[in-house]
Amino acid sequence: MLSGVRTQPFQSGRGPLSPGSRAGLGAALALLALVSAVELADGRPAHYVALMVAAPFLAAALASWRVVLGVGVLATVIGASFALAERTMSLVSAVNVAGIALATAIAAAVASVRQRQAEQIAELSKLAAVAQQAVLRPLGPQVGTLSVAGRYISSTATAEIGGDLYEAMDTPYGVRMIIGDVRGKGLDAVRLASIVLGSYRHVAYERADLRAVVTDLDRAVARNVGDEDFVTAALVEERGGTLTIVNCGHPPPLLLRRGAVIPLEPPAPAPPLGFMPVVRPRVERLEPGDRLLLFTDGLGEARRDGEFFPTADRAWRLLGHGTVADGLASLETALVEWVHGRLDDDIALVLMEYTGPRSGPTAAVPSWEVGAAES
C-alpha cells in the first residue's frame, strides 16, 4: 500500500517504452553522442571507438533487450563508420568494432535475463497482493451502529504481504472486531493470519462470550504454529453502547473522546494467542461520536532518528475529523511524512465511530456485565 517508489514492470511487447527503457536509451545515446563528438574533434585515426562498447551495457542496466540490441547496432554502425573513415583500417580499429558487436550480444542477453526476472518479481507481487486482499476483506463503511474503516500499510514497495490482520462483523452479539499481528512475515505469516481470520469469522457468530472466542482462536493458533510462533490480538465488541475489549499481548486501542485520547489498557496483561492467554475484559460505555483506533505494533515502532511517531499526541488532530476513512488517510499521510517513506514493519489500522444506539429493541447486556448491573 505504500512506502517507496514502485518499480515499473518492464514491457516485453511492442508499444510505448517503459520509464526504465527510456532512461537506459537516453543514457546510452548520450554516451554515443559524447564519444562521437570527441572522435570527430580528434580527427583520424579513430582513437576512442572502443569506448562505445559501454553503450549497450549502460542500456542493459535499465532497458529491455530490444532497446539494448538497437543501441548496440547503432554503436557498431557508428564505430564501423569511424574505422572505415581511416585511409587504411587498422587491426586495432577492426578489433574495436568487433568488440562492440560482441558486447551488444552479451548485453542483450543480460538484459533479457534481467527482464524475465523483473517480470517474475512483478507477477509474484501481484499474486502477493491478491493473497493479501483475499485475507483482508474491505471494511465498512457501516457495520451495525458503527462507522468503520480499515487500512493496511505495507513496509515494502514490491510486495504487499504480511501477517497483520483485521475484521469487523455485525453478529447476534453486537459488532465484533479483531486486529492482530502474526509473528514473522511472508507466506507463512499470511497462512497463519488466514487461519486466525477464518476461525474468527466462524466463532464470532457462535460464542456469546469474547473470552470463549479467545480460547477457540488460541487452539487454532496452537495447532498450526511452532513453539516460538504466536499472534498478538485485540478483540472488541460493541453491544448496546457498551464497548468490551479483550487483549492478548497487543497494543491497547485508543479511545478518542471530545478531544481526549485514552489508551484502553487491559485490566491485566495476557500473553498472545498460542500461549493459552487468560484474558480479563475491559468494559467502557460509549458516547455518540466516540472513535476507537485499533492498530498493530508497526505504528508504535515507526520512528525517525530514534524518535517514535507521537501517535497519542497527534491522534485527535489526525483522526477526529471527517469520516473514519478520512481520519485514517490523514494518519497514513502524517506517518509516511514522519518516517520519510521508510517503515520497518507493516501496519494494520482500524478506526471506528459509535454513531449512537440502534433503532428498535435494545441489545442484550453482555454476560459479564449482568452481575455488575444487579449489584
Side-chain angles (χ1 to χ4, degrees):
M1 305 191 177
L2 65 86
S3 138
V5 178
R6 299 183 182 279
T7 302
Q8 295 291 332
F10 295 93
Q11 298 180 3
S12 57
R14 301 178 187 275
L17 293 178
S18 68
S21 290
R22 287 197 296 269
L25 178 60
L29 292 179
L31 176 63
L32 290 179
L34 178 61
V35 174
S36 298
V38 172
E39 193 68 72
L40 288 172
D42 183 66
R44 302 175 186 174
H47 290 147
Y48 305 102
V49 167
L51 295 177
M52 293 184 179
V53 75
F57 286 112
L58 184 59
L62 296 171
S64 67
W65 68 268
R66 288 186 175 87
V67 172
V68 173
L69 189 60
V71 168
V73 170
L74 178 61
T76 303
V77 171
I78 294 175
S81 299
F82 281 114
L84 292 173
E86 299 177 357
R87 294 185 178 86
T88 303
M89 180 184 294
S90 65
L91 178 61
V92 172
S93 297
V95 170
N96 288 340
V97 173
I100 296 173
L102 179 60
T104 297
I106 296 173
V110 170
S112 177
V113 172
R114 179 190 47 75
Q115 183 177 340
R116 285 198 299 269
Q117 292 175 341
E119 290 171 348
Q120 290 173 355
I121 292 172
E123 186 65 24
L124 289 174
S125 297
K126 291 179 182 178
L127 292 175
V130 170
Q132 192 77 48
Q133 292 167 5
V135 173
L136 299 179
R137 301 184 300 198
L139 298 184
Q142 192 76 22
V143 182
T145 60
L146 305 179
S147 298
V148 180
R151 209 169 187 92
Y152 188 94
I153 306 175
S154 176
S155 62
T156 60
T158 54
E160 301 173 358
I161 189 165
D164 292 13
L165 59 97
Y166 54 72
E167 181 61 286
M169 301 182 298
D170 191 7
T171 75
Y173 310 105
V175 177
R176 285 181 165 178
M177 295 181 286
I178 184 174
I179 191 162
D181 189 357
V182 177
R183 179 182 180 272
K185 292 183 178 293
L187 292 177
D188 287 341
V190 172
R191 180 185 64 84
L192 183 53
S194 67
I195 291 171
V196 173
L197 284 176
S199 299
Y200 178 76
R201 288 164 181 160
H202 173 71
V203 299
Y205 283 94
E206 302 296 327
R207 305 296 188 192
D209 193 322
L210 280 182
R211 290 167 291 193
V213 175
V214 168
T215 300
D216 288 343
L217 294 180
D218 177 67
R219 291 171 182 165
V221 171
R223 285 194 298 264
N224 291 278
V225 300
D227 295 336
E228 297 181 356
D229 295 324
F230 56 84
V231 181
T232 67
L235 284 73
V236 177
E237 175 187 283
E238 183 279 318
R239 191 190 316 186
T242 296
L243 182 72
T244 305
I245 303 170
V246 293
N247 196 314
C248 304
H250 199 78
L254 299 179
L255 177 63
L256 286 69
R257 173 178 291 169
R258 299 193 299 271
V261 179
I262 308 166
L264 299 183
E265 299 281 355
L273 299 173
F275 292 146
M276 295 183 292
V278 178
V279 296
R280 289 179 57 191
R282 173 162 181 165
V283 181
E284 299 281 340
R285 290 298 299 178
L286 290 174
E287 301 175 3
D290 283 354
R291 290 189 172 187
L292 186 73
L293 175 66
L294 310 175
F295 57 93
T296 54
D297 59 6
L299 179 61
E301 295 173 356
R303 58 187 179 272
R304 68 178 181 195
D305 301 327
E307 185 178 359
F308 291 96
F309 181 73
T311 303
D313 294 340
R314 302 181 64 180
W316 179 259
R317 294 197 302 273
L318 294 171
L319 301 171
H321 68 90
T323 66
V324 288
D326 293 335
L328 288 186
S330 296
L331 176 59
E332 179 178 344
T333 300
L335 178 64
V336 173
E337 181 181 356
W338 178 270
V339 300
H340 303 302
R342 295 182 179 181
L343 290 169
D344 295 327
D345 195 7
D346 296 349
I347 302 172
L349 303 169
V350 176
L351 182 63
M352 72 85 164
E353 179 179 356
Y354 177 63
T355 56
R358 292 177 190 267
S359 59
T362 303
V365 176
S367 58
W368 47 84
E369 273 203 313
V370 172
E374 293 175 350
S375 60

